[in-house]
Amino acid sequence: VPSAPSILRRSRARRGGKRVRFAQVTVYYFARRQGFTCVPSAGGSSLGMAPRHHRARRYSLSQFAHLRQVSHRQHLRQHLRREKLRARRRELTQNGTVPSAEAAGLTLADVSDDDLDVGQVEVGDYFYLQPLPTKRRRALLRASGVRRIDAEERQELRALRLSREQCGCLCRLTCEPRTCACSQAGIQCQ
């Protein structure tokens, strides 16, 4: 009886012949909703998306790469603009030259593109999924048409964050099965 050929002995030519190649990218667009499925690192108003997309677009790989690069540059420019605004506000209030109320009155419009050092930062090095403050998340939700933001989510998220900080049991040197939360849950003492 002849034995089946081993999969470990395939020739290089045969293995190299099968490759996955992509010709296009399909991007699905979803409306923004209040999340209830993620836990932001601070505050409430988690960001989520509608259950169904409202639009889909197809791009070639080169078109998609170009769009991502343009989008990343815009994100980077906005980030640098916010950082520059924070620095100006700090500078004005620390030097005492302008009352802090005037410094707080500065807006992103007061920072021009000439003030930004976009050329000094490599776009690929910038991390785009950065945490958003609660105020910005709420503003994004309102701009997306969310009329009522659930205020109870804030307390629920706070409770979740606290519960994630407390894991394991309070046993120190030896496990006390009668009082050990791990033992009572049927897992090895942590």
Side-chain angles (χ1 to χ4, degrees):
V1 175
S3 64
S6 170
I7 61 169
L8 299 175
R9 293 185 181 156
R10 288 186 183 171
S11 69
R12 287 185 183 263
R14 192 169 174 202
R15 272 190 284 160
K18 294 183 180 182
R19 292 193 178 135
V20 176
R21 294 199 170 117
F22 297 97
Q24 61 185 3
V25 176
T26 305
V27 180
Y28 295 93
Y29 295 89
F30 292 83
R32 206 180 284 277
R33 299 281 186 260
Q34 192 168 0
F36 303 104
T37 55
C38 64
V39 181
S41 56
S45 306
S46 61
L47 297 176
M49 60 187 186
R52 299 205 183 276
H53 65 278
H54 59 82
R55 187 172 67 138
R57 296 242 0 232
R58 292 186 191 274
Y59 301 99
S60 70
L61 292 177
S62 61
Q63 287 173 324
F64 185 69
H66 177 72
L67 286 172
R68 281 192 61 180
Q69 187 177 27
V70 168
S71 173
H72 287 180
R73 276 203 195 285
Q74 288 173 341
H75 283 287
L76 176 60
R77 188 169 270 114
Q78 281 300 103
H79 173 74
L80 292 174
R81 186 170 273 124
R82 283 190 299 272
E83 290 298 314
K84 188 66 130 179
L85 178 62
R86 280 191 210 112
R88 280 190 183 163
R89 285 179 177 164
R90 264 193 315 268
E91 183 180 299
L92 290 172
T93 56
Q94 287 177 352
N95 291 343
T97 56
V98 175
S100 60
E102 288 185 46
L106 291 174
T107 65
L108 289 173
D110 296 321
V111 181
S112 71
D113 282 344
D114 297 335
D115 296 333
L116 306 176
D117 295 329
V118 179
Q120 299 295 334
V121 180
E122 179 62 38
V123 177
D125 294 341
Y126 180 70
F127 180 70
Y128 295 96
L129 294 176
Q130 298 190 13
L132 295 174
T134 304
K135 284 183 179 181
R136 291 218 25 233
R137 290 194 304 266
R138 291 176 81 85
L140 282 170
L141 288 170
R142 286 197 180 102
S144 297
V146 176
R147 296 185 194 280
R148 186 181 161 275
I149 296 175
D150 187 353
E152 291 180 19
E153 185 190 28
R154 182 181 191 130
Q155 284 78 28
E156 293 171 8
L157 292 172
R158 185 172 181 271
L160 272 171
R161 284 191 293 269
L162 285 172
S163 73
R164 289 179 176 181
E165 288 177 8
Q166 301 167 354
C167 64
C169 59
L170 300 176
C171 297
R172 292 294 169 230
L173 297 174
T174 59
C175 177
E176 294 292 330
R178 287 179 281 116
T179 59
C180 176
C182 296
S183 179
Q184 291 173 357
I187 59 173
Q188 189 176 4
C189 183
Q190 301 296 310

